[in-house]
Amino acid sequence: MITPPPAAAPGGLLQILDPMAGRGLAVGIDLGTTNSLVALVENGRPRCLPVDEDGGVLLPSVVRYRDGGDPVVGRRARDGAPLAPADTLASVKRFMGRSADDPETRRLSTWRFAGGDGRSVRFLAGGRQVTPVEASAEILRALRRRAEAALSRRVEKAVITVPAYFDDAQRQATKDAGRLAGLEVLRLLSEPTAAALAYGLDKGAQGTFAVYDLGGGTFDVSILQLVEGIFQVKAIGGDSVLGGDDFDRVIAQAFLAEMAAPSPAPEALVHACLVTARRAKEALTLAREVPVKIDSGGRRIDRAFSRAEMERLIAPLVERTAAPCRRALADAGLTPADLDGVILVGGSTRAPAVREFVRRLFDREPLHDIDPDQVVALGAAVQADILSGPRRQGDVLLLDVLPLSLGLETMGGVVEKIIPRNSTIPTSATQIFTTFADGQPAMDVHVLQGERELVADCRSLARFRLEGIPPLPAGNARVAVTFQVDADGLLQVTAREESTGVTQSVTVKPSHGLSDEEVERMLRESIEHAGEDVQARLSAEARVEADRLRVATEGALAGDGDLLSAGERARIEAALASLAAAESLEQTREATAALDEATREFAHRRMDRAIGRAFAGRKVDDL
């Protein structure tokens, strides 16, 4: 393992240090609906890092907020949910970039929503209001800290994956969350593209592949093609509110109906049904039948629940994935027979019913030999490695596409599309517009995203006003509007009146997202975590330095222990024991300094012996 260099040379015991060890790392992060992972490329191969309390690689994407206390993230938060279901946030990814009046806020859940201003969803948890961006930042921060603990290295940069069908608002919200977590986001990478990278399609394979990605909260399908080192996304489709969570809900609703529960059902009963549904769903991946038992508020279920029963309940949801798949194939101008393979991604693809559905849909056996929970994080790590280092021969060129069309509102509430969906990004396009009225001095620019023809049916991203248009007759002014989309799928819009050169531009920040002031406020608040981060890093570095000195000292005792008296050896061994017993940062530093002092004279004697051996039997003239 690469380790950071010591603050000072330890007692003259010379060692060769890696000059790269002090630099921060770039990792790949799968910020998942159900679980999140972080991965790193080492020795040319990606691997997921341990982030769970028991050393597992899956961190449950769950955050529990406590009155007056720091949030708890991961398995502890998930396992403690029955004690405070309303204060425990799970599946927040489904709310990224969504407005407070979004239909998603009315689905079956135990969360409480704050009455908002129509901009961003806000949860009431732990006596405070929390946005999905803040909750996601807590998950990312936990991943970063635990990765740093596992590696004894700083993690500063990341490629974060997002569903291919995430729109501009959802991508911007994900980038904000990474920023709040103290990460430089190198790129937002579509999850299906990351999965294809992990499968090694960039290692010489040629052909066209479909990636079927059904996770906890989102569904994506991508058609990807690799030709001579260029890895291009040909078409994408999906549903950003379809996944394993919905399987849980339809099963839980069946349990509630069986118990004749009132509507709305008590919070504790809803939570018990959702938890039981999730556990049963996961168990039925392997089993044909499992026992289910619910006892809450005087209502009970205690019976066997079969895979066939579950498959009847989730069948309409699985069937919903067919239309995006067929549409993506049509957009790419392909049929299932034209594909060279189908890759399964996402934990929900473990269900036998889903795998059988994909086999029938594409008329071929899908690939699932890489763990579907890990494959996206592994691919993100590959891309992080490419972006953070010098360009190498064999590195693949990724050409992603825009998930939804971008356009402007024109007279009559109609959308004029500037960049159509499935356009390769980064990209730009310019279109000329004119004034509607004589002497019109300004123009309102309303940016929209979606596939419908009317403004009311598309998603509003931003508005701005171009002032200073000369007072010309209607139709004579020429305003060039340019859309520029970067590699993350984020948009900048510029409007320029051509006769005067007056220009106005905006980096699109969705009207229902977080304002710059809110992000800055959150960043200020996150400073309180900076002390914890520094302390954790110092502790890790001190422990690494202590281990290095211990190994060097033990090796020196084994090789040159005869240079010490019995008393000197006893003092060094006592110092080694104190170092091994040290727990806190201060104790480790003190024990390291004590061992350094105890071995100083020993180091001098070893040096003298080494010099004596080097010069023994040699003449001065030879030297």
Side-chain angles (χ1 to χ4, degrees):
M1 180 179 293
I2 298 172
T3 54
L13 298 173
L14 303 178
Q15 297 183 45
I16 298 174
L17 303 178
D18 184 347
M20 297 290 290
R23 300 187 183 182
L25 295 171
V27 298
I29 293 178
D30 175 8
L31 181 61
T33 305
T34 306
N35 295 298
S36 294
L37 305 89
V38 57
L40 175 75
V41 171
E42 289 182 322
N43 301 319
R45 296 186 63 84
R47 70 177 180 95
C48 289
L49 300 175
V51 290
D52 183 61
E53 290 87 340
D54 293 332
V57 299
L58 298 178
L59 179 74
S61 301
V62 183
V63 185
R64 181 183 176 190
Y65 289 87
R66 301 174 295 176
D67 288 335
D70 292 333
V72 177
V73 180
R75 186 162 52 83
R76 283 179 54 214
R78 187 191 65 193
D79 293 348
L83 301 176
D87 295 328
T88 305
L89 303 182
S91 301
V92 294
K93 180 177 178 177
R94 296 184 67 142
F95 296 90
M96 294 289 273
R98 295 191 178 278
S99 60
D101 55 0
D102 195 282
E104 185 70 10
T105 64
R106 295 189 288 274
R107 292 178 181 264
L108 182 69
S109 72
T110 57
W111 307 309
R112 297 177 185 142
F113 296 93
D117 52 9
R119 289 176 56 246
S120 176
V121 172
R122 295 175 187 272
F123 303 99
L124 288 173
R128 70 190 85 173
Q129 292 190 17
V130 181
T131 67
V133 169
E134 290 173 294
S136 296
E138 291 293 348
I139 297 168
L140 290 171
R141 190 178 290 118
L143 288 171
R144 177 174 62 81
R145 288 175 176 167
R146 296 181 190 193
E148 288 175 337
L151 297 167
S152 296
R153 294 280 301 278
R154 295 193 307 277
V155 172
E156 297 176 344
K157 303 175 183 180
V159 168
I160 302 177
T161 61
V162 293
Y165 224 56
F166 255 23
D167 62 20
D168 194 88
Q170 293 163 313
R171 290 169 186 264
Q172 185 64 60
T174 304
K175 204 161 192 178
D176 286 343
R179 184 178 165 205
L180 285 174
L183 291 166
E184 177 188 343
V185 181
L186 295 173
R187 184 168 178 182
L188 299 177
L189 182 65
S190 293
E191 290 165 3
T193 307
L197 278 172
Y199 264 89
L201 302 185
D202 59 326
K203 301 300 182 185
Q206 304 284 319
T208 305
F209 296 81
V211 181
Y212 181 100
D213 182 357
L214 185 60
T218 59
F219 169 67
D220 289 318
V221 59
S222 293
I223 310 300
L224 306 106
Q225 186 176 59
L226 179 68
V227 179
E228 297 179 354
I230 298 176
F231 191 50
Q232 184 171 11
V233 181
K234 304 296 290 183
I236 61 175
D239 190 331
S240 61
V241 287
L242 174 62
D245 285 356
D246 300 282
F247 294 0
D248 299 344
R249 284 169 176 162
V250 296
I251 297 169
Q253 285 168 339
F255 292 159
L256 289 169
E258 184 175 335
M259 292 184 287
S263 182
E267 186 178 278
L269 181 59
V270 169
H271 178 77
C273 288
L274 286 169
V275 169
T276 303
R278 176 175 59 82
R279 290 173 178 168
K281 175 194 70 177
E282 292 172 353
L284 289 171
T285 297
L286 299 176
R288 292 281 181 179
E289 189 175 87
V290 295
V292 295
K293 185 174 183 179
I294 302 171
D295 190 349
S296 178
R299 299 180 185 275
R300 300 181 71 254
I301 286 180
D302 189 355
R303 66 174 179 86
F305 183 64
S306 69
R307 182 190 293 176
E309 188 177 356
M310 180 190 75
E311 290 178 349
R312 284 195 298 272
L313 292 170
I314 68 172
L317 296 171
V318 177
E319 183 63 37
R320 271 174 55 186
T321 68
C325 291
R326 295 188 182 107
R327 187 168 60 246
L329 282 170
D331 289 343
L334 301 171
T335 68
D338 297 320
L339 298 175
D340 295 293
V342 179
I343 298 171
L344 292 183
V345 180
S348 296
T349 62
R350 295 180 186 277
V354 173
R355 294 191 174 184
E356 174 59 22
F357 178 81
V358 173
R359 190 192 64 76
R360 287 188 283 105
L361 181 65
F362 291 98
D363 195 25
R364 67 178 63 240
E365 196 65 36
L367 303 170
H368 50 77
D369 49 307
I370 297 181
D371 186 334
D373 286 320
Q374 297 188 31
V375 62
V376 168
L378 295 172
V382 171
Q383 181 67 358
D385 185 55
I386 292 171
L387 294 178
S388 62
R391 181 83 180 170
R392 299 175 297 253
Q393 186 174 5
D395 282 349
V396 70
L397 174 62
L398 287 179
L399 298 177
D400 218 331
V401 297
L402 196 68
L404 297 166
S405 299
L406 294 164
L408 294 177
E409 178 180 1
T410 57
M411 293 302 297
V414 176
V415 179
E416 178 69 21
K417 292 183 175 63
I418 307 298
I419 302 180
R421 68 188 176 95
N422 287 325
S423 296
T424 300
I425 58 174
T427 188
S428 65
T430 300
Q431 196 158 322
I432 303 298
F433 293 85
T434 190
T435 50
F436 178 74
D438 290 341
Q440 183 176 329
M443 179 181 291
D444 290 320
V445 179
H446 183 196
V447 184
L448 299 134
Q449 189 166 32
E451 304 310 314
R452 304 286 292 277
E453 298 302 318
L454 299 181
V455 170
D457 298 321
C458 290
R459 187 165 194 175
S460 174
L461 292 182
R463 296 175 185 265
F464 66 94
R465 189 173 179 83
L466 178 67
E467 305 274 4
I469 297 175
L472 299 173
N476 282 15
R478 289 174 58 84
V479 177
V481 179
T482 300
F483 279 35
Q484 291 181 303
V485 182
D486 66 16
D488 293 326
L490 302 179
L491 170 67
Q492 184 175 55
V493 180
T494 302
R496 182 178 186 272
E497 202 289 311
E498 295 195 328
S499 65
T500 62
V502 63
T503 301
Q504 179 67 42
S505 66
V506 61
T507 298
V508 171
K509 298 284 286 189
S511 58
H512 48 269
L514 295 175
S515 67
D516 285 333
E517 291 75 18
E518 286 177 303
V519 172
E520 290 301 324
R521 173 185 60 78
M522 294 176 196
L523 285 171
R524 288 195 301 271
E525 291 174 353
S526 71
I527 290 174
E528 68 188 39
H529 296 285
E532 300 169 17
D533 291 345
V534 170
Q535 191 73 8
R537 186 172 70 247
L538 289 174
S539 295
E541 290 173 349
R543 190 69 257 172
V544 168
E545 170 57 25
D547 289 343
R548 180 189 290 116
L549 180 56
R550 175 185 56 77
V551 171
T553 302
E554 290 172 349
L557 288 175
D560 294 306
D562 59 302
L563 294 174
L564 297 170
S565 67
E568 289 172 332
R569 186 179 186 109
R571 283 194 297 275
I572 292 175
E573 289 176 344
L576 281 170
S578 296
L579 184 59
E583 295 181 354
S584 68
L585 172 61
E586 192 59 36
Q587 288 173 345
T588 301
R589 283 176 168 172
E590 290 176 357
T592 301
L595 182 57
D596 181 27
E597 181 62 31
T599 59
R600 192 176 302 279
E601 180 58 28
F602 182 31
H604 292 163
R605 294 176 193 171
R606 294 185 70 222
M607 183 66 72
D608 290 344
R609 171 176 280 183
I611 293 172
R613 288 172 176 168
F615 283 84
R618 304 184 67 182
K619 297 178 180 180
V620 175
D621 290 342
D622 294 337
L623 300 173

